[in-house]
Amino acid sequence: MGERAHPFFDMHTHGFVRVATCTPCVRPADITGNTDSILTEARRAHEAGVDLAVYPELCVTGYAIDDLHLQTAVIDAAEAAVGRIIEESAGLTPVLVIGAPVRRGHRLYNCALAIADGRLLGVVPKSYLPNYREFYEKRQFTRGQNCHGLDVSVAGHKVPFGTDLIFGADNLPGFTFGIEICEDFWAPQPPGMLAAMAGATILTNLSASPVTIGRASDRHLHCASSSSRGMCAYAYSASGHGESTTDLAWDGQGVIYELGEMLKESVRFDRKAELCIADIDTQRIVNNRTQNGTFHDASEDAGRPEDWYRRVAFTHSHTPGDIGLQRAVRRYPFVPDDPATLNADCYEAVNIQVDALMRRIEATKAKSLILGISGGLDSTHALLVACIACDRLGLPRSTIRGYTMPGFGTSDRTKNNALALMEAAGSP
């Protein structure tokens, strides 16, 4: 065994899951061509070591085909295409989450289908169907919000069906995901929050979402909010170039968030198929949840979703060994990389301390502030905070009384630094 083949170098050992948003080349009602494109991206994701690949809404048929979704020939072809995708997914690493219309009884649902290594795991229908402005989904589809405890047969595979599903790898404890479809996360109470409380560390969103001015920033807002409120990762995949532009346009935005922080974003308005890949730290997510009592109280108030959600288990054949890390690692992990955010955080950090010290000086009517100055970082920061507080209260800097504090680490250099600091601050 080579040194890098040791399990320690496998990111999965440490709770990482590689997630990709996939934007295939889709054409309206070109089900054969769309299937080819979906499988091409699945193979590319396999080569990249992806564990979970999230596709756009209704990517098998195309979203913007309107009443063609009511044609039996289209739905039959879509079901056959799903069967082909299931069959050809055998041997591929990624769990594929694709969008397709699914019949159950005499109703048609806008669905997400989870497929793993030649097996259809389950089908999740869309909870909320938009029927305003440019959307007319209630004309073709039935909402699935109240579908619980059901099953469905698709391409000869009988599987769980409903919005009460999460999917989890039985050999990778942190790899558990739930599903939303486009409009679901725009609702006041997104169904994904229940999936998160049921144990999903990753939420996926298959979206069509035609682009308008400002919609990309709205998507960022909702993905950041969902991943923060649900204490999870959030992978969002929107339809791209190739969808019909009869009265709509598409930008193919893919974004991946973790605990409110964006990890990766795709190139928007790209004419080519695209994979947007990031590694999710599920161990970090689980640790954050464990420490957060409010998350568990909310789960109790929601009727303990972990008790009644159905968990569909699968054994994940991930790529073993060292496959690198598709994730930015901060050089300074406790401060932001973005200069503007860093400046804003520093402004708040200083002013929090200054305001608290001012209030304490006012409350105690202190005549002086006593500081031990070592010449190191901590006491230097304390001196600066004291100086700002005195300035804002209109007190002379002589209010601050600084003293050197020799210790085992004291040297001529650090003592001279301390004296220089006190002199510069105007502290006697």
Side-chain angles (χ1 to χ4, degrees):
M1 177 186 291
E3 180 185 352
R4 306 298 289 187
H6 189 281
F8 176 83
F9 295 98
D10 184 346
M11 69 172 195
H12 301 92
T13 301
H14 306 285
F16 287 96
V17 173
R18 182 160 294 176
V19 176
T21 62
C22 303
T23 310
C25 294
V26 170
R27 297 291 178 185
D30 181 5
I31 294 173
T32 300
N34 295 344
T35 303
D36 290 340
S37 185
I38 289 167
L39 289 167
T40 296
E41 293 311 292
R43 296 183 186 105
R44 285 182 61 205
H46 171 80
E47 293 300 319
V50 169
D51 298 304
L52 178 63
V54 185
Y55 288 81
E57 178 181 12
L58 293 173
C59 56
V60 170
T61 57
Y63 176 84
I65 65 173
D66 299 330
D67 284 359
L68 284 178
H69 275 125
L70 300 176
Q71 298 296 315
T72 301
V74 170
I75 304 306
D76 288 344
E79 185 169 359
V82 168
R84 178 188 163 197
I85 294 169
I86 295 168
E87 181 180 350
E88 296 191 27
S89 72
L92 298 181
T93 296
V95 178
L96 310 179
V97 185
I98 65 169
V102 171
R103 286 174 297 205
R104 188 178 186 278
H106 296 161
R107 300 184 180 191
L108 185 66
Y109 295 89
N110 178 345
C111 292
L113 299 89
I115 299 169
D117 195 12
R119 174 188 169 200
L120 179 61
L121 301 178
V123 179
V124 177
K126 190 171 183 176
S127 291
Y128 297 102
L129 303 177
N131 221 57
Y132 55 88
R133 293 200 296 269
E134 68 267 34
F135 301 106
Y136 304 97
E137 286 189 38
K138 288 185 178 179
R139 181 180 173 97
Q140 294 98 27
F141 298 105
T142 300
R143 71 190 295 249
Q145 172 66 12
N146 297 316
C147 292
H148 295 160
L150 305 176
D151 54 39
V152 68
S153 291
V154 181
H157 300 262
K158 187 174 182 179
V159 295
F161 173 87
T163 56
D164 58 341
L165 299 180
I166 58 173
F167 305 87
D170 53 21
N171 57 333
L172 291 176
F175 184 11
T176 306
F177 66 92
I179 296 173
E180 293 184 321
I181 303 176
C182 200
E183 185 76 8
D184 291 348
F185 90 145
W186 300 83
Q189 292 183 316
M193 293 302 99
L194 285 176
M197 289 186 285
T201 56
I202 302 167
L203 295 182
T204 62
N205 189 310
L206 298 80
S207 179
S209 189
V211 64
T212 56
I213 293 173
R215 182 159 290 171
S217 61
D218 284 347
R219 296 176 191 142
H220 277 294
L221 174 67
H222 282 73
C223 290
S225 175
S226 292
S227 68
S228 180
R229 181 175 291 110
M231 301 191 75
C232 61
Y234 203 94
Y236 176 93
S237 183
S239 298
H241 185 82
E243 279 281 6
S244 172
T245 56
T246 49
D247 55 354
L248 303 168
W250 316 87
D251 64 340
Q253 185 176 25
V255 291
I256 302 173
Y257 275 78
E258 179 185 296
L259 297 174
E261 178 183 359
M262 189 180 77
L263 299 183
K264 196 70 178 289
E265 180 176 17
S266 69
V267 177
R268 296 173 61 212
F269 300 104
D270 196 337
R271 294 185 63 200
K272 304 184 297 296
E274 186 175 4
L275 291 177
C276 174
I277 301 173
D279 292 336
I280 301 300
D281 189 348
T282 64
Q283 200 169 84
R284 178 188 177 212
I285 291 168
V286 171
N287 288 344
N288 273 261
R289 287 181 178 178
T290 301
Q291 299 169 32
N292 192 297
T294 300
F295 184 87
H296 305 301
D297 288 346
S299 178
E300 293 286 334
D301 292 342
R304 294 179 60 88
E306 68 268 30
D307 292 344
W308 54 270
Y309 255 68
R310 291 178 289 168
R311 180 187 173 98
V312 181
F314 60 95
T315 300
H316 184 52
S317 302
H318 61 276
T319 303
D322 182 7
I323 59 171
L325 194 63
Q326 296 282 342
R327 179 187 181 94
V329 178
R330 293 175 179 170
R331 183 179 180 186
Y332 303 107
F334 300 110
V335 297
D337 291 329
D338 174 52
T341 305
L342 178 59
N343 288 339
D345 285 359
C346 289
Y347 169 83
E348 286 189 335
V350 169
N351 280 282
I352 288 168
Q353 295 170 86
V354 168
D355 190 75
L357 180 58
M358 288 168 56
R359 183 69 189 92
R360 183 55 49 199
I361 292 171
E362 290 174 330
T364 62
K365 297 181 171 54
K367 303 301 182 185
S368 60
L369 304 178
I370 310 298
L371 286 178
I373 310 297
S374 69
L377 291 175
D378 293 341
S379 61
T380 299
H381 182 79
L383 179 60
L384 292 173
V385 168
C387 288
I388 298 171
C390 287
D391 292 347
R392 290 187 183 175
L393 289 171
L395 299 174
R397 294 281 184 89
S398 59
T399 304
I400 304 168
R401 297 183 179 273
Y403 296 89
T404 59
M405 299 184 67
F408 292 112
T410 301
S411 65
D412 289 342
R413 181 182 64 83
T414 58
K415 183 175 180 181
N416 289 335
N417 285 346
L419 293 172
L421 279 168
M422 288 186 279
E423 183 179 355
S427 169

